[in-house]
Amino acid sequence: RRGKNLTEPQREALETAAGEADRTIQLLQDLLELARTDNGHIHFELDKISLTDLVLEVVDMAQQYSNRSIELDLGDWPVEIKGDRNRLKQVLLNLIDNAVKYSDPDTVITLKLDKESDRVCLQVCDRGEGIPLAHQARIFERFYRVDDARARSTGGTGLGLSIVKTLIEGMGGRVTVVSKLGEGSTFTISLPWY
């Protein structure tokens, strides 16, 4: 209310408090989402959706938010799946956000869409730090962080990838990661065709 009358230290203190409040709200939303899942109260609105259109929409949002270059390799065919549009959007935004956080600002993030006999695969690839092999099997666990110091600096709660896994599995899919230190990571979402 007194924004124009604040001293610089007061303004900085309020910005810090607002940032912490946002982080707490995100943590509570993540915990609520996981609690719903644990209790079987998570609901999926499974409909026929165009994965191609959804990827284009999410990439447009992510580019506006992050100012990052995102390359698309969507193939020449329309891809339709049975899924929950809002939950899948949440998954993609989370994976792109992680790619942005854990790679240098001048590197490109790539999304690739491919098809297998009975499934559609969507990959989110970055050229970032990579994840040590010993940690790759655990990164989908709740509250697991490869590096606590780095997670604090990026604002992570250690719940994002757990939520990604839960949502994808709830839509009949799976998510995996392949990563090499110093070369980057590729998260692959596999979902059944419509």
Side-chain angles (χ1 to χ4, degrees):
R1 283 184 272 166
R2 301 181 321 144
K4 295 179 181 178
N5 298 329
L6 296 174
T7 65
E8 190 59 33
Q10 288 173 324
R11 189 172 289 117
E12 288 175 11
L14 286 174
E15 287 174 4
T16 300
E20 287 302 310
D22 289 343
R23 187 169 136 74
T24 301
I25 289 168
Q26 184 60 54
L27 176 63
L28 291 172
Q29 288 173 337
D30 290 348
L31 288 170
L32 183 59
E33 188 83 17
L34 289 170
R36 285 184 185 126
T37 302
D38 289 346
N39 293 324
H41 294 163
I42 192 164
H43 179 69
F44 291 94
E45 304 251 350
L46 298 177
D47 292 312
K48 179 179 177 181
I49 60 172
S50 168
L51 186 56
T52 309
D53 290 346
L54 181 62
V55 167
L56 291 170
E57 178 185 334
V58 169
V59 165
D60 185 51
M61 289 172 57
Q63 284 177 318
Q64 291 177 24
Y65 170 75
S66 68
N67 273 340
R68 287 295 289 275
S69 177
I70 301 176
E71 290 181 355
L72 297 173
D73 181 0
L74 302 180
D76 296 333
W77 61 91
V79 176
E80 293 180 333
I81 61 165
K82 186 173 185 178
D84 184 312
R85 182 176 178 77
N86 291 328
R87 304 249 186 228
L88 197 50
K89 183 188 280 190
Q90 180 182 354
V91 163
L92 293 176
L93 285 170
N94 186 299
L95 292 177
I96 293 171
D97 184 52
N98 280 354
V100 167
K101 286 179 185 175
Y102 299 116
S103 60
D104 292 329
D106 59 339
T107 61
V108 175
I109 295 163
T110 306
L111 272 73
K112 297 178 186 176
L113 195 54
D114 203 0
K115 57 183 177 179
E116 295 177 355
S117 60
D118 63 338
R119 300 184 85 69
V120 174
C121 292
L122 176 63
Q123 295 182 324
V124 179
C125 314
D126 68 59
R127 296 183 184 103
E129 304 168 17
I131 303 164
L133 185 59
H135 296 277
Q136 290 179 31
R138 298 194 60 203
I139 61 170
F140 294 105
E141 294 176 12
R142 294 177 190 183
F143 299 109
Y144 188 79
R145 293 176 172 163
V146 173
D147 179 353
D148 281 337
R150 185 177 70 179
R152 275 193 296 275
S153 69
T154 59
T157 62
L159 292 172
L161 290 176
S162 177
I163 291 172
V164 164
K165 183 175 189 273
T166 299
L167 294 179
I168 291 298
E169 287 177 352
M171 290 183 272
R174 62 183 178 268
V175 60
T176 58
V177 64
V178 174
S179 185
K180 286 188 178 180
L181 283 178
E183 294 183 22
S185 302
T186 298
F187 286 85
T188 302
I189 297 168
S190 173
L191 290 162
W193 284 97
Y194 180 73

